[in-house]
Amino acid sequence: PRSEVHLSSQALLVARGRALYKIVTGEQPYSRWTGSVYPNCSAPAAGPGVQQPLFADLRVLGRRLSVSADPHEVAALTWQQDCGAAGCLFDVASDPSEHADLSDALPALRAELASLLADRNRGNFAPRRGVSSLRACAEGVRNGGYYGPFVDVASAYSPSPPATAAQRERDAAYLLRVAALSEPPAKRAFQAFYETLWAATRNASWRGGGP
């Protein structure tokens, strides 16, 4: 049976007897414990008035919107836990919600698993996947509202059902908007607008106001 799972470049799961150890390294957003029904008004606050974390990686047409220039504020607003290069260690068999960090109790095991994670990362398959393109939106319309198929094999897929007149009208209007946003000046203006809006929403949330 399989004894380990390479979860990501920052996490590895390893079975040892009845234990199932998980090592996590680096900065991890959204690292808080919540109630069984979440979000609600009892959710732990990231800062004054903040009952939910802000997005750690929010992008508009490829541009990343920054949470804050202050790394401490970023950590607070995104509920970030920094496990560092050495990592945090949990036994998820006995502690599935990862409350008890075993790093101090099992330093040799943590070092072993951190080394194993680094070894697995060396063989990690991470190909260049290209860049985002608004042409994918047009392709989605052509495919009946789906991003795909991703394999150019005509016989492998059923044809999309014919669009109604109303759908064709909506699709045409949508493609006009996509074409407009493909132009660099419009794209930059759209990004700038959302960057301003995001900053206002973020600051209001952090200071205890509404979005």
Side-chain angles (χ1 to χ4, degrees):
R2 191 172 185 177
S3 61
E4 69 175 63
V5 179
H6 187 197
L7 299 171
S8 73
S9 61
Q10 292 183 292
L12 180 70
L13 199 63
V14 179
R16 295 287 173 86
R18 293 186 176 181
L20 189 57
Y21 292 111
K22 179 182 178 182
I23 186 163
V24 182
T25 61
E27 297 173 346
Q28 301 292 327
Y30 321 128
S31 295
R32 294 291 184 273
W33 298 284
T34 63
S36 56
V37 178
Y38 177 83
N40 58 39
C41 60
S42 66
V50 179
Q51 297 297 316
Q52 299 179 54
L54 296 183
F55 289 109
D57 188 25
L58 181 63
R59 297 173 187 268
V60 173
L61 300 181
R63 179 187 291 181
R64 188 173 186 273
L65 302 186
S66 176
V67 172
S68 171
D70 181 351
H72 298 291
E73 191 174 61
V74 170
L77 288 170
T78 60
W79 294 6
Q80 184 186 99
Q81 171 73 24
D82 188 1
C83 288
C88 301
L89 180 66
F90 305 96
D91 177 5
V92 295
S94 61
D95 177 28
S97 55
E98 302 178 15
H99 276 69
D101 186 354
L102 303 175
S103 300
D104 292 338
L106 300 171
L109 179 61
R110 178 178 70 165
E112 177 192 347
L113 297 190
S115 176
L116 186 60
L117 173 61
D119 179 69
R120 297 297 181 264
N121 285 340
R122 278 189 284 272
N124 196 28
F125 179 63
R128 177 178 172 80
R129 301 186 184 276
V131 296
S132 60
S133 171
L134 287 173
R135 287 180 297 176
C137 301
E139 186 66 15
V141 169
R142 192 180 70 83
N143 288 322
Y146 297 93
Y147 290 120
F150 299 100
V151 178
D152 189 15
V153 181
S155 61
Y157 303 97
S158 301
S160 302
T164 65
Q167 286 174 327
R168 289 195 297 271
E169 186 177 337
R170 286 196 299 268
D171 290 345
Y174 171 73
L175 291 175
L176 283 175
R177 293 195 298 271
V178 168
L181 286 173
S182 299
E183 297 298 323
K187 183 177 179 179
R188 287 194 295 268
F190 192 77
Q191 289 170 330
F193 169 76
Y194 271 92
E195 205 158 50
T196 302
L197 181 64
W198 172 239
T201 303
R202 176 199 67 206
N203 292 336
S205 298
W206 175 250
R207 292 168 183 152

